[in-house]
Amino acid sequence: MALVSTATVASSSYHCDLLLSPSARWNWRGPRSRGAAGARLAVLERAGTAGAGARVALLERAGAAAAAARREESVPAAAAAGGRSSPYEVESLIERLSNLPPRGSIARCLETARHRLTLQDFAAVYREFSRRGDWQRSLRLFKYMQRQSWCRPDEHIHAIVIGVLGRQGPALLDKCLEVFEDLPVESRTALSYTSLIAAYARNALHEEARALLDQMKAAGVAPTVATYNTVLAACARATDPMVPFDMLLGLFAEMRHDVSPSVRPDLTTYNTLLAAAAMRSLADQAEMLLHTMIEAGVSPDSVSYHHIVDAFAGAGNLSRVAELFSEMADTGNTPDASAYLGLMEAHTRVGATAEAVAVLRQMQVDGCAPTAATYRVLLDLYGRQGRFDGVRELFQEMRTSVPPDTATYNVLFRVFGDGGFFKEVVELFHDMLASGVEPDMETCEGVMAACGRGGLHEDAREVLEYMTREAMVPTADAYTGLVEALGYAAMYEEAYVAFNMMTEIGSLPTLETYNALANAYAKGGLFQEAEAIFSRMSNNAGIQKNKDSYDALIEAYCQGAQLDYAVKAYMEMRKSRFNPDERSLEGVLNAYCIAGVIDESKEQFEELQSSVTEPSIIAYCMMLSLYARNDRWTDAYDLLEEMKSNRASSTHKVIVSLIKGEYDDSSNWQMVEYALESSTLEGCDYSLRFFNALLDVLWWFGQKARGAKVLDEALKCGLFPELFRNTELVWSVDVHRMSVGGALVAVSVWLNKLYDLLKEDKELPQLASVVVLRGQMEKSTITRDNLVYPDPSSLGAAQFCKSHQPPSYSTRDKPERHHHLSEATARPEMQTEPAAARQAKESLELAFQMSQILDTGLDRHTLSLLMALCDRGANPEALAALVRELSSAAPPAAAAAPAPVSNGTAAPPPTTASLFPSGLRHP
């Protein structure tokens, strides 16, 4: 609870901030010993004794003292008769004093302007030194003035110097007292006393402040309202021990019963007491003070209402505040919009949505027009609770009564961006421009962040162009959004250009920028590029990797089949004392599953289960794919049942039903579409991993037709924009960012499209290609010389027209080996003999399925012979010509081949028939 109180204790020319700033109370010291407090009080008593002895004389010589003061002030006035100082001379004096060495002469600095400087000019110098916190020069200048007759400091100068010293902490309080005692007793007024009281109050010495107030009264000096406010604030802020509230009310009573109008409680007085009541959760006392305040003719402000709301919130009785506001409205004292806003914010802090909306309705009934800030509070509350329909409805209501401002749009951008409605953020940005509301830098950064998470690279470029037109220099956060959006669209070169452009305009890349670019490389398996960008980050920028950096490296190694390095990156992350989260554990699980090591994968999955409430669908799909590839159908079926029994997530149940074929009809498929679209709300990073894992499961479970439908949904969501590129000359499919199963589904769909062209006698493209590598590996001649068929265990082929090569392992010690994108290309430490045999079997099986799709009429035995001949160096084109000759000479029955099924995939062999409608093999 912050106590907001200020006091003006001088004329307009001399204003001192006597009280602490709202944040300063947290820096107060702990409990003090009574000995230290007693010593300070003794000093103050001695200072007061001298004044008490001259009390009568002070009254008798009041007129003479005033005359003497006027004569002293006439000296600088007479000196200034010949000329008056200009602001330039005062500034020059400040500069000369600032550059003065510790033992330099102040007299020489003042020599040129000596006869033109007034005490007001010196006051301006002290204020500047006070702003800088330069108490040493202030004290030196004060001692110089003490020795001069032409510029001897008056009470205002004493008060300013006391204020400068008092801000420096308890160590200089003794010097504050020396400056105060330097002032003649007859010249001490409420101004000097209040300055000294403020110095003690600022350092949390409320007992000394009260003692000074008593001495001030004993010396016959009448306190002002600023004096009482200063003492009240010091007592109200005391926390160890806390001053009883009755003592504060006692001081308040003294002010109310004082006959002098200069001591009448003002707004600062009431706000100080209300803040003290709020700190102590005294709701009844706060209500009493509010009524007293209104009866005294003092209108509450936003600070007053804020403290009242806090007092009732601390007492657990916020409902009474609404009743109190209604009573005030009935008596003609309707609170302003800030009062309702404070009550609404109190409800939002505890998540009471219905009560916050009720405050808005009460506000409208009481005749207080809501402001844009009122609606912003509710919009933010709805957004944090995920009530996005409520956000839209409330925003439409707001537009009918209050024009939205820039801050309101910024709240909407943050709400919809966090909720995954990235395209809606872009639409709101265009609506903002059409409405004539000018975006600020926070606006552009919020829109760019949404475009980055959603992969909306075209919209991100438009926002960047708008910033350029408006002469706004894009910040690092804005460029991070652009790099992220380009990366999710697999536009690596454009992302790197945008990354380098930041340095040219002076916006240095941040850790988030480096992570965004590395994460883009990771999605495509470009582990060499990811390593290079992190090396540049550490060596050139001096920025160390964080947990997200390691997550990107792990994914890059997994997608690039550098499985040992993925595990090493995980171990390095643990050594760097970064606690792995669900994303990190899933990355290591992916490495184990690709390698086909079941025991390690199960152990990692169990660790994941113990770390999170419920493993994500991605983790379940990884394990299901692993079990399916290794014919562990019992384990797979048990895992499906475990997913189905999940009560916390309905999406898990929908995915299980999808795999089992229970949602194939159009009505139930809408549930699948909703579940798939919901995954996109998490952003492209999660969506790409989600669809890759799901497509992998569907392929290995034999759900090829459903896999094609899921792939179509992914394309509708804007994922994998690089997947299909069809022109009259070239048909290509780019699967470098897909999992093994996902790539096979995409290739199967692509081949069926080619087959449809062939059946319809349409003109075929001149070139058909499959892209499975990007970046440095794509440009490597070693890679092009070792291309293989894109089969279930190796996606190292860039086109199907190359000859089949035996699989090879990739290590960094042997650069001539090819880096594959599958579990069969794990390093030798993770490779096993059964996996190699299974690889050959799966390669033959996929080749047979492709031959059925292309209607070649080849059986498995013939295909195995042809593949063996290719392994031994036979010319593939010569073998193809031989097969065509043999097929034309063979009887029609021998050359017959099964026609492709209507869903675009090969029919499963009879031995894999299933009891499930989807073809899932039951153990």
Side-chain angles (χ1 to χ4, degrees), residues 665-683:
D665 56 284
S666 59
S667 60
N668 287 329
W669 185 257
Q670 295 179 357
M671 300 179 63
V672 177
E673 291 177 344
Y674 178 78
L676 298 180
E677 290 176 0
S678 298
S679 68
T680 62
L681 299 179
E682 301 293 332

Side-chain angles (χ1 to χ4, degrees), residues 11-31:
S11 64
S12 58
S13 301
Y14 303 95
H15 177 269
C16 298
D17 182 13
L18 301 180
L19 302 182
L20 290 172
S21 62
S23 60
R25 69 182 184 88
W26 301 109
N27 299 324
W28 287 6
R29 300 181 304 162

Side-chain angles (χ1 to χ4, degrees), residues 9 44-45 47-49 51-52 55 58 155 180 185 188-198 208-228 230-231 262-263:
V9 297
L44 295 176
E45 288 173 358
T49 303
R55 189 175 306 152
L58 174 65
E155 186 183 18
F180 176 78
V185 175
R188 298 174 188 174
T189 65
L191 172 62
S192 54
Y193 274 103
T194 304
S195 300
L196 184 60
I197 291 174
E208 290 82 345
R210 292 204 313 271
L212 275 172
L213 177 63
D214 295 337
Q215 293 175 15
M216 179 181 180
K217 296 176 181 178
V221 179
T224 63
V225 64
T227 311
Y228 275 106
T230 305
V231 177
S262 62
V263 192

Side-chain angles (χ1 to χ4, degrees), residues 26-108:
W26 301 109
N27 299 324
W28 287 6
R29 300 181 304 162
R32 305 176 306 279
S33 64
R34 293 299 300 171
R40 293 191 184 91
L41 290 174
V43 174
L44 295 176
E45 288 173 358
R46 288 195 298 272
T49 303
R55 189 175 306 152
V56 177
L58 174 65
L59 296 176
E60 294 177 351
R61 295 177 303 188
R70 286 193 296 272
R71 286 194 300 271
E72 290 182 1
E73 292 181 1
S74 65
V75 174
R84 180 171 297 276
S85 64
S86 65
Y88 173 76
E89 290 180 340
V90 175
E91 293 177 0
S92 299
L93 175 61
I94 294 174
E95 184 178 357
R96 290 196 301 270
L97 290 173
S98 301
N99 298 328
L100 189 68
R103 295 184 179 274
S105 174
I106 294 181
R108 291 181 180 178

Side-chain angles (χ1 to χ4, degrees), residues 674-800:
Y674 178 78
L676 298 180
E677 290 176 0
S678 298
S679 68
T680 62
L681 299 179
E682 301 293 332
C684 286
D685 180 71
Y686 177 85
S687 301
L688 289 171
R689 294 185 290 115
F690 173 83
F691 277 98
N692 267 328
L694 182 56
L695 289 170
D696 204 47
V697 170
L698 294 174
W699 176 266
W700 296 113
F701 271 68
Q703 309 302 316
K704 302 177 180 61
R706 296 188 187 93
K709 295 178 68 175
V710 171
L711 179 62
D712 185 60
E713 293 295 332
L715 296 177
K716 291 180 181 178
C717 295
L719 302 176
F720 306 110
E722 76 284 359
L723 186 58
F724 296 119
R725 301 290 175 86
N726 300 335
T727 65
E728 294 181 359
L729 298 178
V730 179
W731 271 42
S732 67
V733 56
D734 188 344
V735 295
H736 81 283
R737 295 201 298 172
M738 305 193 75
S739 61
V740 175
L744 294 173
V745 171
V747 170
S748 177
V749 172
W750 181 73
L751 288 175
N752 276 279
K753 291 181 180 179
L754 286 176
Y755 182 77
D756 292 339
L757 288 179
L758 183 63
K759 286 196 306 181
E760 297 172 3
D761 291 334
K762 293 184 178 180
E763 185 177 356
L764 295 176
Q766 298 181 11
L767 178 64
S769 65
V770 178
V771 180
V772 295
L773 289 175
R774 295 282 293 273
Q776 295 297 325
M777 294 306 302
E778 180 186 15
K779 302 175 184 178
S780 173
T781 57
I782 300 174
T783 301
R784 291 197 295 266
D785 293 338
N786 291 276
L787 294 177
V788 299
Y789 281 103
D791 52 49
S793 61
S794 176
L795 293 180
Q799 57 185 15
F800 286 112

